[in-house]
Amino acid sequence: MKLITSVTLLSAAILAGCQSTSSPEEQAIRSNLCTAGDGSGSSYTQEMFEKAVMGCGGYEIFVDDMLIGQELVFSFNNGKKKRQMVLMDDGTGKYTKLESGASENITWELQDNGNLHLAFEDGYKWDWRLIEEKGAFWGVKSHGYGENEGDRDVLSMVVMNQTALTSFE
């Protein structure tokens, strides 16, 4: 009888530990995040970015209300490099590396094609395309590029609009 009780308790503990604390919206975005065309290096040009976006089925457009004054949280490397970004209505913003607390000023604009274009003080640029949206969670395909040709990437990520998430609760 003790063995059965121990196995039952162990099974319950394992199942409880495996349950995700993320919302159904976040789970849906994460499980369907299209990573086609993702990678880094000199070959990851704007043309490669366009192909990667189309390989994911195209994109939706960003609008001001989705971005201005919103706390956007995302990460790289499976959640190990968390970032926060807040964009202001004057075209400026703040980009913060949450693990170190380091921040930098950025500028941003919505381009005619619905891209979110970000520019950093060091000359690095980053274009975002909205691939999918579920509540406060977005699937985003991005293209980062600097002056060095090797400093380019196409990356898919889940972005959480923390401000909107708080208002949904």
Side-chain angles (χ1 to χ4, degrees):
M1 189 72 166
K2 280 187 169 182
L3 180 59
I4 292 172
T5 304
S6 296
V7 169
T8 302
L9 290 174
L10 180 59
S11 297
I14 290 171
L15 287 174
C18 291
Q19 290 178 351
S20 173
T21 58
S22 62
S23 70
E25 293 85 3
E26 182 179 8
Q27 289 174 5
I29 292 285
R30 286 196 188 286
S31 65
N32 293 319
L33 185 63
C34 177
T35 59
D38 285 10
S40 61
S42 60
S43 65
Y44 287 85
T45 61
Q46 186 69 27
E47 184 178 324
M48 290 292 291
F49 174 55
E50 299 292 337
K51 286 181 182 178
V53 168
M54 294 326 241
C56 288
Y59 65 97
E60 304 291 326
I61 63 168
F62 285 107
V63 294
D64 288 341
D65 291 347
M66 298 171 73
L67 303 167
I68 295 173
Q70 305 299 302
E71 179 185 351
L72 308 176
V73 179
F74 49 96
S75 65
F76 309 115
N77 297 342
N78 296 320
K80 294 180 184 158
K81 294 183 176 182
K82 289 193 177 221
R83 305 291 191 252
Q84 175 193 56
M85 188 168 62
V86 177
L87 305 176
M88 309 314 282
D89 63 356
D90 65 356
T92 64
K94 184 181 238 181
Y95 179 86
T96 305
K97 297 176 181 178
L98 293 176
E99 68 276 357
S100 68
S103 295
E104 63 184 292
N105 295 321
I106 58 175
T107 58
W108 70 277
E109 68 177 337
L110 283 179
Q111 297 177 322
D112 291 341
N113 62 1
N115 269 6
L116 170 60
H117 178 76
L118 305 164
F120 292 76
E121 292 174 333
D122 65 1
Y124 191 75
K125 295 181 180 18
W126 205 11
D127 293 328
W128 285 18
R129 293 258 178 101
L130 180 62
I131 302 296
E132 185 178 10
E133 179 183 7
K134 294 222 184 295
F137 298 92
W138 307 336
V140 171
K141 180 75 76 176
S142 69
H143 178 228
Y145 49 99
E147 291 182 24
N148 178 351
E149 277 191 24
D151 192 16
R152 295 183 181 163
D153 61 45
V154 173
L155 170 69
S156 299
M157 61 189 167
V158 174
V159 176
M160 175 181 58
N161 182 332
Q162 183 67 46
T163 306
L165 185 64
T166 303
S167 68
F168 288 143
E169 294 176 342

